[in-house]
Structures are given as structure tokens and as C-alpha cells.
Amino acid sequence: MVVVVKKDASEEQIRDILKHLEDYGFKTHVSVGEMRTIIGAIGVQPDFDIRKVKILEGVADVYRITDPFKLASRNFKKEDTVVNIKDCKIGGDNIVLIAGPCSIESEEQIFRLAEIVHSSGAKILRGGAFKPRSSPYSFQGLGEEGLKMIRKAADEFGLLVITEVLQIGQIDLISKYADILQVGARNMQNFSLLKELGQSDIPVMLKRGLSATIEEWLMSAEYLLSSNNKNVFLCERGIRTFETYTRNTFDLSAIPVVHEKSHLPVIADPSHATGLRNQVPPMARAAIAAGADGLMIEIHDDPEKALSDGPQALLPNQYLDLIKELKLIAKAIGRNL
Ligand code: PEP
Ligand code: MN
């Protein structure tokens, strides 16, 4: 931690700052410059609340120089994490494709879409059975009936299933049907849910919160890892900004940042990030070029009648054309898709 002392701070204030830092367990090193005095505070305390120093008299600013996450950090583990689920690898050189409808709507619908997902070479079928909707009057998902349908469709086509878990009470039920549990944007900081998911080794995909910083997102991953689930990967799905022409702002720069800061795989979701079908292919291409370890894409064969997120769903032919382009981009950057 670096503490910048105010220009007009008194000797006594500086002594007081040093005393506080030492009491908090830091070793200190003072550097008196012409313009500013700076105190280096050394000591590994990832959970130290720097505001305790910010409020001291004579302090101008405080900067952290180490990250507050440990198990999720690249310093802790140099090699990329690869999450293995049956014959599917998430992370490393591979690029994983997850596709399917926003919601499971009927057995026929999920079977038709599973066939398309399979024909594209994707390994994972998505579909929500418990939906986190902004309005309580919107379609909330088919619940366990939907889980049965997606499992059956996935088994028919040799696919894995990912679906969202909204609350602790659903974990056991969903784990019976799904291979990967999705923690959605709205639940990224549901710490009780994360701790509970950390108790098992079921793979978890942690989406970035609507207004979460990358650090907060990695701290949420830290909850899963520190409760002992190492099968964790991340999903960038756009963040809320002042922009209104897109549903969210797709933070593609989060991908190289996560790769630098963390060993966890990070995939991208251009569907929720943009919210409109015509914006999905360009951003999917960009995400692969930016180094994403995979994509999650929503598709539908009758999007006008979709029970959720129809406007962002790619039609089957659009999706299949996109995959062909993505293969070329992946090859150009030396990766497999
Ligand atoms: C979803 O993937 O179905 C979903 C609801 O996404 P998010 O949590 O990113 O909004
Ligand atoms: Mn959706």
C-alpha cells in the first residue's frame, strides 16, 4: 500500500500515520520528496480496509499495490485453469461454445434448438428454467419440468447442460439435471449462494454483475474458490453504463484484464451484452479476437414468439454462419474452435 501525505501535513500528523500503520501490522518506509512525502506500507493483508488510512489527518491518498483476491489471482496460480467436464475443456487453448434459448419453453422447442447447437459443434446447451426477470409478471421459467426437458434434449444430442440457479434452495434440484450451474449477473454478489456453491465441485459459471468492477467480480469468484470449488469460470455479459443504444455496454477489455489478473477462464456473452440480434455477430467476433475462452449465444427459431429475450436471439442460420466466421478468427489467433 502506498500512502501519499498531504503537502501541508505536520510532522506530528506523519508520526501519527506511521504509528497507525505499524499498529495495523505494516512495515513502513518513508520517502521524502521535494513535492510530496510518500509512505510505503508493506505487509500482506488482502482484506485490509484502506479507508482506515484514508481518514487519518494529513493523508492525501492511499493506493493498494496488491490485489485483494488470492486464490483467483495469477500470482497464486501461474497456469491457466482448465475446467474439465466430461470431454469438454473450458480454458487453455480451447474455445468453448455454449448456445441455446434464453428460456426452455417446451420439449419440442428445446429439442429443435439442441439439434442446431449440436450441428454447430457446440458442446454445451443453455436454457433457463428459473428466470431472473425484472418484472414479476414476465415468464418465470418452467422450473423442474424445464430441467427435465433440457436434460433429455442434451442427452439426445450428446451435449452438456448449463442453466441458472437463483437461490440456495434450488442447488440440489438443478444439480440433478445440469452439468454446469450459472450464477447470473443479478446474483454475482449473493455471497450466501456463492459460499453454498463452493461446498461442492459442480462447475460454476459466474457472470459479471450489472455494475460490478472486475475486482468485485474476481472477489466473488474468490468466494467460490475459498469455499473449495475449483471448477469455476467467468462470463462477461456487459455492464450498465449511460449508453442507451445497447442493452448493456460490452466490456471486451475485461477479457485481457481477467487473463492478466487471474488464471480463471473467461467467456463472453454478446447476447445479453448488446440485447439486439444484429449487434451479436460483430461482438461475438470481437470477443474471440480479444481472447475470450468461449462464447455463450442465445438462439431461437421463432424469436418473435420467444417467452424471453427474443430480440437478441440469433436465428439458426445466422448462428451457423457466425460459427463459421468464428472458426476463422480462432485459427488466426492460434486457438481451436
Ligand atoms: C441469462 O444468461 O439467461 C441471463 C439472465 O443473463 P444475465 O444474468 O447476464 O442477465
Ligand atoms: Mn436471456
Side-chain angles (χ1 to χ4, degrees), residues 102 126 131 272 298 309 312:
C102 181
R126 67 148 286 146
K131 296 300 301 174
H272 291 90
E298 287 189 350
D309 282 346
Q312 71 193 29

Side-chain angles (χ1 to χ4, degrees), residues 139-155:
F139 177 60
Q140 303 286 307
L142 295 181
E144 187 172 6
E145 286 312 300
L147 296 174
K148 288 182 185 161
M149 293 170 191
I150 194 171
R151 183 73 264 167
K152 214 168 144 192
D155 288 345

